[in-house]
Amino acid sequence: MIPESLKTELQSRIAAAITPREAAVDVLKCLQAHYGWLSDEAVEEAAALLGLSPLQLDELATFYEMLYRRPVGKRVVHVCDSISCWAMGGETLMAHLAKGLAIQPGETSADGLFTLLPCCCLGNCGEAPTMMIGDTLYGNLTPETALEILQKERTTILPKEERP
């Protein structure tokens, strides 16, 4: 259930939009930030707020790579697999990250900290290969520097007593 303060904020955003549909992605992103992912219940809550059908919102949520319709880790690692990143070693980068996390692309690490996802383009072709964690873009990566970044992320997620 959406907290009243968040519901009020979302209603304000919807009211400021020209049409409720214009605010749909923003509402979904806010609910995802609140819940961690977009469950069927979250999509239904968004639909009720927007006056749209859950199917219309599910279509949006499954189209956008940054909206998650299943649980994800505390940090989602998007690895660009565009032609530029692929040509500059993106495939090797993805394989190295998967091995370092002991998962396959699309999976979440056993500790629940990281979900590894391919992404069709992160718009950072000049610094290929690229990955993004949260809102932070990392370019000119090597497999080693990417694993170092994951280690730094791990230390920001875990309480001090659980850090390696």
Side-chain angles (χ1 to χ4, degrees):
M1 176 147 212
I2 303 173
E4 200 57 43
S5 60
L6 179 56
K7 187 175 184 177
T8 301
E9 177 187 338
L10 294 175
Q11 288 169 332
S12 294
R13 289 180 185 207
I14 294 165
I18 295 170
T19 68
R21 189 164 179 82
E22 179 185 321
V25 172
D26 189 36
V27 168
L28 289 171
K29 286 174 64 178
C30 287
L31 289 176
Q32 178 173 278
H34 175 71
Y35 293 120
W37 65 290
L38 294 169
S39 65
D40 290 342
E41 293 78 19
V43 170
E44 289 170 11
E45 289 173 334
L49 285 169
L50 291 158
L52 300 171
S53 74
L55 178 60
Q56 288 172 303
L57 293 180
D58 188 54
E59 289 170 346
L60 284 173
T62 56
F63 176 77
Y64 289 103
E65 290 183 328
M66 304 295 175
L67 294 175
Y68 314 119
R69 287 291 279 132
R70 60 186 175 136
V72 293
K74 292 185 186 290
R75 298 286 191 278
V76 178
V77 180
H78 289 274
V79 179
C80 185
D81 65 0
S82 71
I83 189 70
S84 297
C85 284
W86 176 81
M88 296 302 291
E91 194 171 37
T92 302
L93 175 66
M94 176 67 90
H96 203 75
L97 288 168
K99 184 177 179 182
L101 293 169
I103 59 174
Q104 293 299 310
E107 295 178 347
T108 299
S109 59
D111 57 12
L113 297 181
F114 297 103
T115 298
L116 183 62
L117 296 174
C119 186
C120 68
C121 185
L122 291 171
N124 198 30
C125 300
E127 295 184 14
T130 298
M131 73 178 184
M132 187 166 76
I133 302 174
D135 292 329
T136 305
L137 196 58
Y138 300 94
N140 294 317
L141 294 170
T142 65
E144 295 75 26
T145 59
L147 287 177
E148 289 171 14
I149 291 165
L150 286 186
Q151 188 56 39
K152 288 178 187 173
E153 286 287 330
R154 184 179 302 280
T155 62
T156 65
I157 300 169
L158 294 173
K160 284 186 180 181
E161 60 275 2
E162 293 181 34
R163 293 178 186 170

